[in-house]
Amino acid sequence: MSDGSTPRRVRHPLVGLAVVGVSLTVWWPAFTLGAWGQLFFDQVLTVWVAATATFVVVAFQPRPSPHRIRRLIALAIPSVWLALSFAGRPGGGPILVGIDALAFVIAIAGVPFTSWVLARIFWPDFGDGIPRRIVALGLAVIALMVVASFVLGTQQARFLTCQDFALSGNSNPPGCVDATTGR
């Protein structure tokens, strides 16, 4: 800059959009884990649907992708979990615990990963030129939203009632407070 003015900051609006989008998708699984102590099947199956659809898009992309095989393997993990769930239910035991642990990882980590892959498909240059500190800040905000949502779930009796859960079509989590009795 020869005119003496300060250089303009480069803006990355898509990073903000990605952070908001991923935060919106991970808050409910984190909240339910806090409130009910478990993830609901529909949350994990939602990740499976998104990952499977993204798998098909990545597999049949007309242009070459340098990380296609790694993405396909990662996107197949929810389908592997689903297949293992069919195989592991009758006997239970340690295999079932492992399958449930994989479901937890898929629900929490699968959403951000699938979102990232989709963003890179539709905006191939998304992420290019973004400083690591901006990426780290975005990941930190998402992690903060997950932790805050989990804590809100554990503290739901302080600001929600059983009627709130019933009205929204959910079952009552342990410890919810009845609006009429306060207990």
Side-chain angles (χ1 to χ4, degrees), residues 81-145:
W81 160 79
L82 191 57
L84 289 173
S85 293
F86 279 105
R89 286 291 167 201
I95 292 174
L96 185 58
V97 172
I99 291 170
D100 287 342
L102 182 59
F104 173 78
V105 170
I106 288 168
I108 299 300
V111 170
F113 175 77
T114 302
S115 300
W116 177 260
V117 171
L118 280 171
R120 294 293 291 200
I121 289 169
F122 295 113
W123 297 295
D125 58 342
F126 179 74
D128 294 346
I130 298 174
R132 288 181 191 248
R133 64 180 173 73
I134 299 293
V135 172
L137 178 62
L139 292 173
V141 168
I142 293 167
L144 177 66
M145 293 297 99

Side-chain angles (χ1 to χ4, degrees), residues 41-56 70-87 89 98-115 117:
F41 73 91
D42 61 331
Q43 296 163 337
V44 180
L45 288 177
T46 298
V47 175
W48 171 76
V49 167
T52 302
T54 305
F55 180 96
V56 172
R70 286 186 280 179
R71 288 177 180 168
L72 288 172
I73 290 169
L75 290 167
I77 290 173
S79 291
V80 170
W81 160 79
L82 191 57
L84 289 173
S85 293
F86 279 105
R89 286 291 167 201
I99 291 170
D100 287 342
L102 182 59
F104 173 78
V105 170
I106 288 168
I108 299 300
V111 170
F113 175 77
T114 302
S115 300
V117 171

